[in-house]
Amino acid sequence: QVHLVESGGGVVQPGGSLRLSCEASGFPFSSEVMHWVRQAPGKGLEWVARISHDAVYTQYADFAKGRLIISRDNSRTTVFLQMNSLRKEDTAIYYCVRDFGDSWSLDYWGQGILVTVSS
Amino acid sequence: DIVMTQTPLSSPVTLGQPASISCRSSQSLVSSDGNTYLSWLHQRPGQPPRLLIYKVSNRFSGVPDRFSGSGAGTDFTLKISRVEAEDVGVYYCMQGTQFPWTFGQGTKVDIK
């Protein structure tokens, strides 16, 4: 079955950096588009970024452009989110999510990893 | 960006009774390919969201048939025919027609 496991979260100071990883299993990873979605504590869902199956194309939310970078390593079935110049408002649970193909939706979600930006 | 607005934001329901959530988008969700990319997701407390409905009215694998989606253009509805205890949590609509993908604020469903 589809399994997505995030890692790399933690506490970081404002202005700092962090790299999240998401290891995937149970499906042909190199054929699938992947996303990151975040959720601030007690708040709703916010789409962050998307990467094509071959890493050629990426899309970002406006707040992510220039600071957050999505990438992937198909040989390691892993998708990454490099987070730079972090702000307190980036504090959230970050979910790794698989794209649901031609349905332009999100079908399988990881358990999420907490990132806390605090001094 | 497309703004997704859900109503109500909170919905106390009685077990066995129907429930309905509305979602309105700030612009049409009909894509250039003719499809409408509106999804519904459910998040139980402490859990990640899970997909219920995609492309307005298609139930995802394993989703009970008491859940149904309808609508077109800018107005959409999720209906639960008979609410069960496991249906509590927050429901989100989401559009995948245009980047950035956007979600509604969420509707919290709990039992009266």
Side-chain angles (χ1 to χ4, degrees), chain A residues 35 37 39 43-47 50 59-62 95 99-100 102-111, chain B residues 1 33 37 39 41 43 46-51 53-55 60 92 94 96 99-105:
Chain A
H35 301 252
V37 174
Q39 185 170 36
K43 303 297 184 182
L45 301 169
E46 189 171 41
W47 177 81
R50 171 187 184 267
Q59 287 85 23
Y60 294 93
D62 284 347
Y95 294 102
D99 189 90
F100 189 29
D102 293 342
S103 299
W104 293 83
S105 187
L106 302 167
D107 60 3
Y108 288 97
W109 296 61
Q111 286 297 308
Chain B
D1 297 2
D33 64 8
Y37 298 111
S39 302
L41 300 101
Q43 185 176 32
Q47 295 293 315
R50 65 174 184 130
L51 180 62
I53 302 285
Y54 62 95
K55 286 201 293 187
F60 186 59
Y92 295 94
M94 185 200 81
F99 287 108
W101 290 10
T102 47
F103 295 87
Q105 321 96 299

Side-chain angles (χ1 to χ4, degrees), chain A residues 29-115:
Chain A
F29 180 79
S30 62
S31 300
E32 303 291 347
V33 173
M34 297 296 295
H35 301 252
W36 288 95
V37 174
R38 72 182 186 180
Q39 185 170 36
K43 303 297 184 182
L45 301 169
E46 189 171 41
W47 177 81
V48 176
R50 171 187 184 267
I51 187 166
S52 63
H53 71 284
D54 55 5
V56 171
Y57 300 105
T58 56
Q59 287 85 23
Y60 294 93
D62 284 347
F63 66 81
K65 290 177 182 175
R67 298 190 305 120
L68 278 58
I69 302 169
I70 189 171
S71 62
R72 65 191 295 160
D73 183 342
N74 286 344
S75 67
R76 294 164 57 188
T77 66
T78 300
V79 60
F80 304 99
L81 187 66
Q82 177 66 42
M83 309 171 70
N84 302 320
S85 303
L86 284 164
R87 308 164 180 163
K88 289 185 177 180
E89 53 266 35
D90 294 317
T91 295
I93 294 173
Y94 285 75
Y95 294 102
C96 171
V97 194
R98 193 180 78 166
D99 189 90
F100 189 29
D102 293 342
S103 299
W104 293 83
S105 187
L106 302 167
D107 60 3
Y108 288 97
W109 296 61
Q111 286 297 308
I113 190 83
L114 178 62
V115 172

Side-chain angles (χ1 to χ4, degrees), chain B residues 68-84:
Chain B
S68 63
S70 63
T74 62
D75 288 286
F76 305 92
T77 303
L78 175 71
K79 292 183 179 178
I80 310 174
S81 58
R82 295 172 306 279
V83 172
E84 297 189 4

Side-chain angles (χ1 to χ4, degrees), chain B residues 1-21:
Chain B
D1 297 2
I2 297 177
V3 177
M4 307 296 288
T5 303
Q6 291 181 226
T7 54
L9 297 183
S10 179
S11 180
V13 297
T14 301
L15 289 174
Q17 293 300 302
S20 178
I21 301 169

